[in-house]
Amino acid sequence: MENIRMVDLQGQYQQIEKPLSEKMKAVIESTAFINGPAVQEFQKNLEAYLGVKHVIPCANGTDALQIALMGLGLKPGDEVITADFTFAATVEVIALLGLTPVLVDVDPQTFNLDLEAVAARIGARTKAIIPVHLFGQTVDMEPLMALAKTHQLYVVEDNAQAIGATYTFSSGEKQKAGTIGDIGTTSFFPSKNLGAYGDGGALFTNDDALAHALRGIVNHGMYQRYHHDVVGVNSRLDALQAAVLDTKLPLLDFYNERRKMAAALYTERLQANEAITTPHRSGDCDSHVFHQYTLKIKGVDRDKLVQQLGAFGIPTGVYYPIPLHSQKAYTDPDYNESDFKVTNQIVNEVLSLPMHTELTVEQIDYICEKLLHSVASN
Ligand SMILES: *Cc1c(COP(=O)(O)O)cnc(C)c1O
């Protein structure tokens, strides 16, 4: 069995080596390294792919979240509701801006925001909700948008893990994840579904005024050269990274199909085992692009299982091992453990298997065979 990796970027690179080298060479020869034509071209192509009016490239996905909250004009003391079970970046930027993060529990099947828990925490100071499309699966956006509308709240979609996923409304209308809320944000971290060869990120919006505000904020609050109207940041997508992303963008749907195929094979082979809960998909087959393939493991020792699989050369990941409300940086004496029952439980159960675009049927068969064997002898 060839080397199994959690994420294999090497095989993907080999497929695009030639066009990529040409694009990168063109950027280097043009010497337009900052905000040059390569960045604009990628921006236009991503706008067309997503069906969104404005893409604002920036330096990484964490910046994108921060810039989104700055663009909405939130003020210290304003509360922002987000999930207890996500990567820390989401809550980090809320705290960094002096806003108040309000963490809520997630759904045990989808791992996404529990909308009832969100509704219960909306108060006079609540200004925004950040749904995270975790592991590549879209949050149920229709009821979430209705809830936000009722309470006049902004919605910022953290779409770092679900670029290319499509949400279907009850009317049958489809929209790309990240283009439904007031602002969507994403990350082009190398291991994300659309990954650069370094850092990168972007914001999406259909609102012209908001887009204008965000374009200034990413560039030192400048709307006219050397006139600084608001406090901004310096957050740019590198032109060489834009060349990488623009080479990969036409392949994104193919990449996501490869992930879905791998996920379907895993599920077929693992779903009958009672110690293993395979990922639940709440929408149609376009609603989940499997950034991660995450199982819930019950009745066996997960740490031991990780070791057993490691001995067979199979890497695994635990995303995420600690609820955000239990992290030192984000604990709050007002938090009540009984409000986080699901997160407290799933952090002990989740186990992510290798997931990338280059997985072969043989590798998946091997991983599943060893996993079932390890569970039985755990
Ligand atoms: C990766 C990720 C981010 C942060 O993106 P960076 O580009 O690494 O800053 C934010 N939110 C989620 C859910 C992520 O997975």
Side-chain angles (χ1 to χ4, degrees):
M1 183 61 42
E2 60 208 282
N3 206 353
I4 298 176
R5 298 190 184 92
M6 203 57 193
V7 176
D8 179 358
L9 299 173
Q10 212 143 34
Q12 209 185 52
Y13 169 63
Q14 280 157 13
Q15 307 290 321
I16 56 170
E17 189 178 348
K18 250 192 109 173
L20 179 60
S21 301
E22 279 162 23
K23 259 201 198 330
M24 291 184 83
K25 191 159 177 267
V27 171
I28 295 167
E29 284 174 355
S30 77
T31 72
F33 297 120
I34 304 288
N35 289 336
V39 178
Q40 273 153 32
E41 200 174 302
F42 171 62
Q43 177 190 316
K44 289 275 164 293
N45 290 335
L46 187 57
E47 283 166 354
Y49 172 82
L50 292 171
V52 72
K53 267 176 103 174
H54 305 281
V55 165
I56 299 104
C58 68
N60 58 67
T62 308
D63 274 9
L65 284 162
Q66 178 180 333
I67 292 157
L69 297 177
M70 291 169 78
L72 294 172
L74 302 190
K75 298 278 176 305
D78 288 349
E79 293 183 355
V80 180
I81 298 177
T82 194
D84 189 33
F85 187 64
T86 173
F87 181 58
T90 323
V91 63
E92 179 179 60
V93 299
I94 301 171
L96 209 55
L97 291 172
L99 311 173
T100 306
V102 175
L103 297 170
V104 302
D105 215 352
V106 297
D107 179 275
Q109 290 192 298
T110 63
F111 308 121
N112 277 333
L113 267 184
D114 175 341
L115 296 190
E116 279 178 30
V118 173
R121 293 304 304 268
I122 295 174
R125 294 196 299 165
T126 311
K127 289 286 151 49
I129 308 172
I130 306 184
V132 183
H133 303 300
L134 203 71
F135 301 152
Q137 173 151 242
T138 56
V139 170
D140 195 357
M141 289 303 288
E142 188 163 1
L144 184 131
M145 293 306 291
L147 186 66
K149 197 171 173 202
T150 305
H151 297 275
Q152 295 184 298
L153 306 175
Y154 293 118
V155 174
V156 176
E157 298 173 70
D158 182 347
N159 198 32
Q161 299 189 2
I163 194 155
T166 303
Y167 180 77
T168 306
F169 289 82
S170 54
S171 65
E173 191 208 336
K174 289 175 182 286
Q175 250 175 286
K176 289 280 186 211
T179 68
I180 301 165
D182 297 279
I183 303 176
T185 66
T186 202
S187 162
F188 302 122
F189 187 82
S191 65
K192 300 285 158 90
N193 290 34
L194 180 60
Y197 290 167
D199 278 309
L203 300 103
F204 323 134
T205 186
N206 283 307
D207 183 317
D208 296 341
L210 209 45
H212 176 74
L214 297 170
R215 287 215 166 86
I217 292 169
V218 298
N219 188 25
H220 303 290
M222 270 197 296
Y223 297 89
Q224 197 188 332
R225 204 162 167 79
Y226 301 124
H227 293 250
H228 303 273
D229 296 353
V230 296
V231 176
V233 294
N234 171 21
S235 186
R236 296 185 281 241
L237 178 68
D238 194 288
L240 282 169
Q241 299 307 335
V244 175
L245 293 165
D246 210 35
T247 308
K248 285 189 174 190
L249 180 60
L251 295 163
L252 177 57
D253 284 344
F254 166 72
Y255 290 155
N256 283 341
E257 284 307 318
R258 294 277 312 172
R259 289 172 177 274
K260 286 187 221 176
M261 269 162 52
L265 286 176
Y266 273 138
T267 295
E268 196 183 296
R269 283 152 180 67
L270 299 174
Q271 64 188 356
N273 191 290
E274 49 185 38
I276 297 171
T277 307
T278 53
H280 173 83
R281 200 167 55 200
S282 59
D284 62 20
C285 66
D286 294 327
S287 66
H288 199 330
V289 291
F290 290 96
H291 175 60
Q292 297 293 348
Y293 184 85
T294 302
L295 304 169
K296 283 189 289 184
I297 302 291
K298 284 180 201 173
V300 295
D301 181 336
R302 185 183 59 181
D303 292 343
K304 188 174 167 204
L305 187 59
V306 166
Q307 279 179 8
Q308 290 171 292
L309 290 169
F312 289 119
I314 300 169
T316 52
V318 173
Y319 313 115
Y320 299 92
I322 305 168
L324 288 177
H325 81 273
S326 307
Q327 298 282 2
K328 273 189 204 155
Y330 304 113
T331 49
D332 182 330
D334 286 345
Y335 283 142
N336 194 337
E337 286 303 322
S338 65
D339 289 334
F340 302 106
K341 283 201 191 87
V342 176
T343 307
N344 284 341
Q345 185 176 341
I346 60 181
V347 291
N348 297 315
E349 296 176 348
V350 287
L351 185 67
S352 298
L353 299 183
M355 175 49 79
H356 53 79
T357 58
E358 312 303 310
L359 279 171
T360 63
V361 177
E362 291 71 32
Q363 287 177 324
I364 293 170
D365 281 341
Y366 175 81
I367 293 165
C368 293
E369 184 201 314
K370 297 303 179 203
L371 175 57
L372 293 171
H373 168 83
S374 302
V375 164
S377 61
N378 182 269

